[in-house]
Amino acid sequence: ENFDVLADWLSSQSSLIESLLFRKQLKGVAVGMRRAMRITPESSRKSLVMLRDVFDKVSNMLTLPIGNGNGNGNGTGTKEFIMDTQNEKVGFTAADLSFCALATPLINPPELCMFQPQFDER
């Protein structure tokens, strides 16, 4: 259902000829991938639920109170990074970088609009 958006996004920096050829090839690749990976409407729904669960878990991890009032913060506010704990600020880690890199295409933050093609609302 999102084929046009994906094709536009993946061929946004291509010439017209490359874009047209890519669209033709992408349809065949999509069919082959669905078959090889056994993707069905039911498995897609399950994957969407799992994806939303991951975003919920990360959101909850970042909204836990930080600090304990004993010199390690004041017990208020939210965590800045995924691996921070109530008592220790670990800082920016590979977990933060990995999550951000993998989530960016899904979130499509406006701050990165110059690096991504713009689409009509669909």
Side-chain angles (χ1 to χ4, degrees):
E1 87 189 44
N2 296 317
F3 177 81
D4 289 333
V5 172
L6 180 63
D8 288 347
W9 184 53
L10 293 174
S11 63
S12 65
Q13 302 295 319
S14 303
S15 70
L16 180 60
I17 291 286
E18 290 171 329
S19 187
L20 293 172
L21 290 172
F22 178 74
R23 280 179 176 278
K24 286 208 174 276
Q25 291 177 343
L26 187 60
K27 286 185 182 184
V29 169
V31 169
M33 286 181 69
R34 282 190 190 102
R35 189 174 300 135
M37 298 169 72
R38 298 184 183 117
I39 297 172
T40 64
E42 179 61 26
S43 68
S44 294
R45 282 189 287 279
K46 287 180 182 178
S47 293
L48 182 58
V49 168
M50 290 170 57
L51 182 65
R52 288 183 173 154
D53 286 346
V54 168
F55 274 87
D56 286 344
K57 286 178 185 176
V58 171
S59 180
N60 288 335
M61 289 172 72
L62 293 173
T63 56
L64 292 173
I66 57 171
N68 59 9
N70 295 328
N72 289 331
N74 59 10
T76 62
T78 57
K79 293 171 30 174
E80 292 181 33
F81 303 108
I82 293 173
M83 300 304 291
D84 288 349
T85 66
Q86 284 188 312
N87 299 318
E88 181 182 8
K89 289 194 76 159
V90 176
F92 191 77
T93 65
D96 299 286
L97 179 62
S98 298
F99 183 79
C100 292
L102 295 171
T104 296
L106 300 172
I107 298 170
N108 196 18
E111 297 84 359
L112 299 179
C113 66
M114 71 282 296
F115 300 111
Q116 299 177 8
Q118 299 303 302
F119 302 108
D120 298 335
E121 291 289 324
R122 295 185 187 193

